[in-house]
Amino acid sequence: MHPFSYTRASDTRSALAAGRRGGRYVAGGTTLVDLMRETVERPRTLVDIGDLPLRGITGTERGGLRIGALVRMAEAAAHPLVRTAYPVVSQALELSASPQLRNMATIGGNIMQRTRCAYFRDVTAACNKRTPGSGCAARNGFNRTHAILGTSGHCVATHPSDVAVAFTALEATVSLLGPDGGERGVRLADFLLRPGSTPDREQALRPGELITAVEIPAHPRPLGSGYLKVRDRQSYEFALTSAAVALHVRGGVIREARVAAGGVGTVPWRLPAVERHLVGERPSNALWTEAAGRAAEGARPLEHNRFKTDLLKRTVERQLRVVGGTR
Ligand code: SF4
């Protein structure tokens, strides 16, 4: 581990001042400290934001839900407002990591976590995300767990978060506070960046900006939702594929559909072709199969992850059946 200085911010103003000077924010530390041990990350200053007042889960005036950036994953998963209104969020959190990690890791940190690409974490390997311009060892290496959607010639790594997939399906917004005190909201779908030619730039964050919350907008009721994660072992493993599904059915017709996938994209991957096929239709097993058949549109599999194309379709179909019912 490289030498670094550590400061614990007592209030938001001092945190932002330290962020303006180039300090890296840390809360649960479950990702960043690991990467520092492996010398993948080498921040000169850590700014511990654990004491900032960013821990609430509250309903918004507009009928949505605001989850503070420092809410622990386990707290969010168990919160009654989350469990009842957005089971897809609760389930995605409960299927993430281990109980110990969920007790430490925060919602803001979860969104900011970095890829699990093994080459990224091996400082002897070529990796454009870690060392821009060095190449991508995964492209022609062992790429079984890598992305099939949103890839570029520079990077094919997946985004590892489960709850970000649920947030993407629900069209959540990330609330940000700048060093000058300015606030803004950015849709998560715009906040997390595809690799393009700059895979080292992963979020649309401005220098010194701090995530304060994730906000889920109001959705029509009733909204049935749920999350399915497919992985190599039943616990403490990242997704090979996953599906977040939210459906609003009224009068026997699907009025709204939100579907996103994880484990397959360089960012959490919304599936608009699937959604379009569902809206205006009556739920049926045939509809689930037809809609899920569109889940992998645009996929570009690599040598070792061709299986993900079919697995994604089956994952989406199964979760449509779970949320929409078997008929
Ligand atoms: Fe690095 Fe991305 Fe290639 Fe992995 S896939 S080695 S993170 S550039």
Side-chain angles (χ1 to χ4, degrees):
M1 188 180 277
H2 285 249
F4 64 95
S5 63
Y6 170 89
T7 178
R8 191 170 180 94
S10 56
D11 54 35
T12 306
R13 182 186 294 190
S14 62
L16 291 170
R20 191 188 300 120
R21 293 192 296 271
R24 284 283 299 276
Y25 300 126
V26 64
T30 54
T31 290
L32 181 56
V33 175
D34 271 0
L35 292 171
M36 289 170 66
R37 281 200 200 100
E38 293 166 0
T39 68
V40 174
E41 293 264 19
R42 302 176 184 187
R44 282 187 296 179
T45 304
L46 285 188
V47 183
D48 190 332
I49 58 171
D51 291 337
L52 303 191
L54 305 173
R55 293 192 180 278
I57 298 180
T58 53
T60 67
E61 285 177 7
R62 294 177 293 277
L65 189 72
R66 184 177 172 89
I67 305 176
L70 292 180
V71 172
R72 310 281 181 189
M73 290 170 68
E75 289 172 47
H79 196 283
L81 282 176
V82 179
R83 290 192 86 83
T84 53
Y86 303 105
V88 64
V89 172
S90 191
Q91 292 168 17
L93 287 164
E94 286 174 343
L95 290 169
S96 303
S98 65
Q100 292 90 339
L101 286 168
R102 294 196 293 273
N103 284 335
M104 283 299 294
T106 62
I107 292 295
N110 185 293
I111 291 169
M112 291 293 291
Q113 67 179 298
R114 307 201 70 187
T115 183
R116 307 308 295 193
C117 172
Y119 300 106
F120 171 72
R121 285 161 190 263
D122 173 0
V123 293
T124 66
C127 174
N128 289 322
K129 190 181 281 296
R130 176 174 27 77
T131 310
S134 63
C136 172
R139 263 217 158 266
N140 297 312
F142 186 58
N143 45 40
R144 177 176 177 272
T145 60
H146 288 70
I148 59 174
L149 290 157
T151 58
S152 75
H154 299 269
C155 182
V156 292
T158 54
H159 191 277
S161 170
D162 290 295
V163 76
V165 179
F167 285 150
T168 297
L170 295 171
E171 300 186 331
T173 296
V174 182
S175 301
L176 300 166
L177 185 62
D180 58 356
E183 294 181 74
R184 65 184 181 120
V186 181
R187 287 183 344 129
L188 183 61
D190 298 324
F191 179 76
L192 297 174
L193 304 177
R194 299 185 195 185
S197 60
T198 54
D200 53 311
R201 185 158 184 263
E202 297 174 325
Q203 301 93 14
L205 264 178
R206 295 172 184 159
E209 265 187 331
L210 180 67
I211 298 177
T212 55
V214 172
E215 197 166 314
I216 302 171
H219 285 275
R221 299 282 184 270
L223 185 74
S225 74
Y227 187 75
L228 173 64
K229 180 173 182 177
V230 177
R231 45 190 166 171
D232 281 327
R233 60 184 177 193
Q234 195 51 35
S235 70
Y236 198 36
E237 185 57 278
F238 292 86
L240 288 170
T241 59
S242 71
V245 170
L247 300 175
H248 170 54
V249 182
R250 185 165 40 84
V253 174
I254 300 169
R255 308 289 175 171
E256 287 208 31
R258 302 268 188 270
V259 186
V264 290
T266 51
V267 292
W269 204 259
R270 187 88 179 263
L271 299 174
V274 175
E275 294 172 356
R276 281 195 299 273
H277 198 82
L278 294 169
V279 172
E281 301 293 333
R282 294 186 173 276
S284 72
N285 290 346
L287 181 68
W288 308 143
T289 306
E290 289 165 10
R294 289 161 166 74
E297 281 184 6
R300 296 170 60 188
L302 302 161
E303 182 180 357
H304 303 113
N305 67 6
R306 296 185 198 287
F307 71 97
K308 282 195 176 187
T309 304
D310 277 341
L311 188 60
L312 172 60
K313 294 177 192 171
R314 292 177 195 178
T315 305
V316 170
E317 180 180 346
R318 183 166 148 193
Q319 194 57 8
L320 286 171
R321 284 179 191 241
V322 169
V323 173
T326 304
R327 294 170 173 82

